[in-house]
């Protein structure tokens, strides 16, 4: 159960990071987008991401969540390393 909870926190972090990146792209290219927009949505997404990170950080302190937190943190770091390697390859020289 603790691994499932940690996975949910990771998914929410990815959703919020994707939303923030989308909003930055939208701000840089307003001609591509029309329609509905949430005022201050990017700031709310960053704030919510910080709250999810704070909850995830407390998982290390809870005995039932400690193992899931260690495995989840290692998995997240591995994902970040893979992303960094592939992102560097995609950038033009």
């Amino acid at each position: 159960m603790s691994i499932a909870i940690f996975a949910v926190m990771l998914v929410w972090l990815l959703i919020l990071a994707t939303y923030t990146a989308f909003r930055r792209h939208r701000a840089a290219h307003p001609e591509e987008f029309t329609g509905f927009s949430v005022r201050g949505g990017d700031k709310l997404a960053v704030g919510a991401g910080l709250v999810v990170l704070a909850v995830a950080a407390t998982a290390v302190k809870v005995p039932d969540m400690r193992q899931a937190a260690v495995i989840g943190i290692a998995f997240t770091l591995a994902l970040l390393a893979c992303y960094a390697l592939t992102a560097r390859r995609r950038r033009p020289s």
Side-chain angles (χ1 to χ4, degrees), residues 36-50:
F36 181 75
S37 179
V38 176
R39 187 175 296 171
D42 52 346
K43 292 175 185 64
L44 288 172
V46 170
L50 292 173

Side-chain angles (χ1 to χ4, degrees), residues 9-89:
M9 288 188 283
L10 179 62
V11 167
W12 269 107
L13 284 173
L14 291 172
I15 289 169
L16 293 168
T18 303
Y19 178 76
T20 303
F22 172 76
R23 290 290 300 225
R24 287 184 181 163
H25 177 77
R26 183 179 179 166
H29 305 284
E31 69 281 355
E32 295 178 12
F33 300 97
T34 60
F36 181 75
S37 179
V38 176
R39 187 175 296 171
D42 52 346
K43 292 175 185 64
L44 288 172
V46 170
L50 292 173
V51 170
V52 173
L53 280 175
V55 171
T58 62
V60 178
K61 299 290 184 187
V62 178
D64 291 340
M65 291 282 294
R66 190 168 292 132
Q67 182 180 8
V70 170
I71 293 169
I73 290 169
F75 179 71
T76 304
L77 291 175
L79 284 178
L80 287 173
C82 290
Y83 174 75
L85 291 172
T86 59
R88 188 177 343 151
R89 200 175 319 148

